[in-house]
């Protein structure tokens, strides 16, 4: 088995139009870096020709799946956000596009992308979402956190949690848990946590020292290691985080109300799911004030109906608890590898 990556990667240029879906976003980025995409496709096609693999595994790598089409079987790995449904007739939006100037049409993007694909001898696309098309799919999420669940045709493998997924506890305590593996950029988040007065265990990745003086005298206790999600989440009063799929899904399985301060698109789609399910509150981290943070935490911590909804949601998705996600992924890869791929 070989792990390879192209050496033609470059920093992505800023977009003047904020796209409506990930496929739309990728197409815009690809066309802004047309030569880089061309080099990347050539790299993948040459690598496939040199190694002659039985299967390629693409983890958030649509350029690889596009290069592999018609040549070798492939498995595409992704979450609901990072693996938009390739069978869709058009880009499935999770928001309206906005920004400076009009967004290019999907037909224009498709024509331009096909021109690049044709220049390197790769198969053309019939529709834009087809850039994610593979022989098989490993969808590492559950329906509630998939912004495309209404049109999705692939099966869900679930979310893998270290030591297994938690379950709701019949007993609860007064302590909340906060998980920010990437740290916190907005001081108002810390100030609002402190202002809420809710006792809390808080993990900040490697940024504990940065905030230690600021939380002095509060009911917040900094922890230096990530939580054991199966053991430390059940029975807690509340879960607070930045919208990472692993933590949010574990808190959902534990039946906890949640407050999510997201900072990127995938976190935004997950936060939206929490809000729509009425098991928590959500907002963009950079828009938060201390008062608003404190209010969201206090409300979520003290709304019994929200906890009832969270426990009910945990039961609804119990079939995904402790799913053997990684063994299923291995089985999927082996299954595709054993097939004789017919273009």
């Amino acid at each position: 088995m070989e792990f390879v990556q192209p050496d033609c990667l470059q920093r992505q240029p800023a977009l003047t139009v904020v796209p409506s879906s990930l496929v739309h976003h990728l197409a815009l980025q690809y066309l802004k870096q047309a030569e880089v995409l061309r080099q990347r496709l050539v790299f993948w096609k040459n690598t496939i020709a040199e190694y002659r693999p039985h299967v390629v595994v693409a983890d958030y790598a649509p350029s690889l799946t596009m290069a592999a089409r018609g040549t070798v079987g492939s498995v595409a790995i992704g979450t609901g956000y990072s693996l938009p449904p390739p069978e869709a007739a058009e880009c499935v939006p999770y928001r309206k596009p906005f920004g400076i100037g009009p967004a290019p049409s999907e037909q224009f993007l498709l024509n331009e992308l096909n021109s690049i694909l044709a220049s390197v001898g790769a198969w053309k696309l019939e529709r834009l979402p087809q850039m994610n098309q593979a022989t098989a799919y490993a969808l590492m999420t559950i329906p509630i956190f998939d912004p495309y669940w209404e049109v999705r045709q692939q099966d869900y493998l679930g979310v893998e949690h270290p030591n297994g997924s938690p379950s709701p506890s019949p007993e609860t305590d007064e302590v909340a848990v906060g998980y920010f593996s990437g740290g916190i950029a907005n001081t108002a988040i810390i100030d609002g946590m402190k202002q809420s007065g809710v006792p809390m265990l808080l993990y900040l990745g490697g940024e504990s020292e940065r905030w230690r003086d600021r939380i002095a005298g509060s009911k917040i206790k900094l922890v230096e290691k990530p939580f054991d999600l199966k053991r430390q989440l059940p029975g807690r009063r509340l879960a607070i985080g930045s919208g990472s799929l692993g933590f949010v899904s574990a808190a959902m399985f534990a039946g906890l109300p949640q407050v999510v301060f997201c900072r990127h698109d995938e976190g935004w789609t997950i936060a939206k799911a929490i809000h729509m399910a009425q098991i928590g509150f959500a907002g963009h981290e950079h828009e938060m004030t201390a008062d608003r943070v404190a209010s969201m935490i206090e409300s979520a911590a003290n709304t019994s109906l929200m906890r009832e909804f969270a426990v009910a949601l945990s039961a609804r998705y119990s079939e995904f608890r402790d799913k053997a996600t990684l063994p299923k992924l291995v089985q999927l890869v082996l299954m595709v590898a054993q097939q004789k791929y017919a273009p």
Side-chain angles (χ1 to χ4, degrees):
M1 180 180 293
E2 294 282 346
F3 294 89
V4 294
Q5 69 176 34
D7 59 5
C8 53
L9 300 180
Q10 294 184 6
R11 182 178 178 85
Q12 294 181 335
L15 295 175
T16 56
V17 175
V18 178
S20 60
S21 73
L22 183 62
V23 170
H24 191 190
H25 172 82
L26 289 172
L28 287 169
Q29 290 286 11
Y30 282 155
L31 297 188
K32 277 184 169 288
Q33 300 184 94
E35 183 55 34
V36 174
L37 173 59
R38 189 175 288 107
Q39 292 174 22
R40 193 179 303 185
L41 289 167
V42 169
F43 170 86
W44 286 131
K45 289 182 71 66
N46 289 343
T47 300
I48 291 170
E50 177 182 355
Y51 286 90
R52 299 180 62 83
H54 291 89
V55 59
V56 296
V57 181
D59 186 355
Y60 187 34
S63 61
L64 174 54
T65 56
M66 287 190 288
R69 288 179 68 225
T71 304
V72 61
S74 58
V75 177
I77 303 176
T79 63
Y81 168 81
S82 67
L83 189 58
E87 68 275 9
E90 57 186 3
C91 296
V92 183
Y94 50 75
R95 67 170 170 221
K96 293 181 178 179
F98 63 91
I100 303 172
S105 70
E106 287 191 31
Q107 189 60 51
F108 172 81
L109 293 171
L110 178 64
N111 292 342
E112 293 296 307
L113 189 55
N114 275 336
S115 175
I116 297 172
L117 292 170
S119 72
V120 299
W123 280 18
K124 292 184 179 181
L125 306 178
E126 297 173 1
R127 56 194 184 279
L128 213 51
Q130 203 174 21
M131 69 170 67
N132 292 309
Q133 188 177 55
T135 310
Y137 305 91
L139 194 58
M140 314 288 267
T141 188
I142 56 181
I144 188 175
F145 299 122
D146 178 10
Y148 307 107
W149 67 270
E150 291 180 298
V151 296
R152 178 79 65 185
Q153 294 181 12
Q154 297 90 34
D155 293 332
Y156 295 91
L157 264 62
V159 182
E160 188 88 7
H161 298 115
N163 303 320
S165 303
S167 299
S169 170
E171 299 180 359
T172 60
D173 58 27
E174 294 299 309
V175 180
V177 289
Y179 182 82
F180 295 82
S181 59
I184 291 176
N186 185 354
T187 303
I189 305 294
I190 293 290
D191 292 343
M193 290 176 177
K194 183 176 179 179
Q195 185 177 318
S196 74
V198 174
M200 188 182 308
L201 299 174
L202 181 59
Y203 175 71
L204 296 173
E207 293 194 352
S208 293
E209 288 305 316
R210 175 186 173 190
W211 300 106
R212 195 174 299 279
D213 290 342
R214 199 173 192 95
I215 68 168
S218 72
K219 295 182 179 180
I220 300 173
K221 179 181 178 181
L222 294 174
V223 296
E224 302 303 325
K225 296 181 179 180
F227 298 108
D228 180 330
L229 301 175
K230 186 171 185 177
R231 184 178 62 85
Q232 292 182 280
L233 285 191
R236 296 302 186 183
R237 188 176 182 183
L238 177 69
I240 307 168
S242 58
S244 65
L245 178 60
F247 182 72
V248 170
S249 60
M252 185 277 293
F253 281 127
L256 303 184
Q258 301 192 47
V259 175
V260 176
F261 303 113
C262 58
R263 62 171 59 170
H264 48 68
D265 273 0
E266 182 167 18
W268 183 86
T269 62
I270 292 172
K272 184 179 179 181
I274 292 297
H275 177 75
M276 295 297 291
Q278 300 182 66
I279 64 169
F281 300 108
H284 286 280
E285 178 184 2
H286 69 274
E287 296 177 350
M288 291 295 109
T289 64
D291 287 344
R292 188 177 176 191
V293 169
S295 176
M296 292 167 72
I297 292 174
E298 292 168 13
S299 296
N302 295 305
T303 304
S304 58
L305 188 59
M306 194 170 285
R307 178 173 291 275
E308 292 177 15
F309 285 165
V311 172
L313 195 66
S314 175
R316 177 181 176 182
Y317 289 105
S318 60
E319 65 176 290
F320 293 100
R321 183 180 288 111
D322 286 332
K323 263 201 166 185
T325 303
L326 294 182
K328 287 187 176 182
L329 171 60
V330 172
Q331 292 174 5
L332 193 63
V333 171
L334 293 176
M335 179 189 72
V336 174
Q338 291 167 2
Q339 296 176 354
K340 287 192 178 293
Y341 184 72

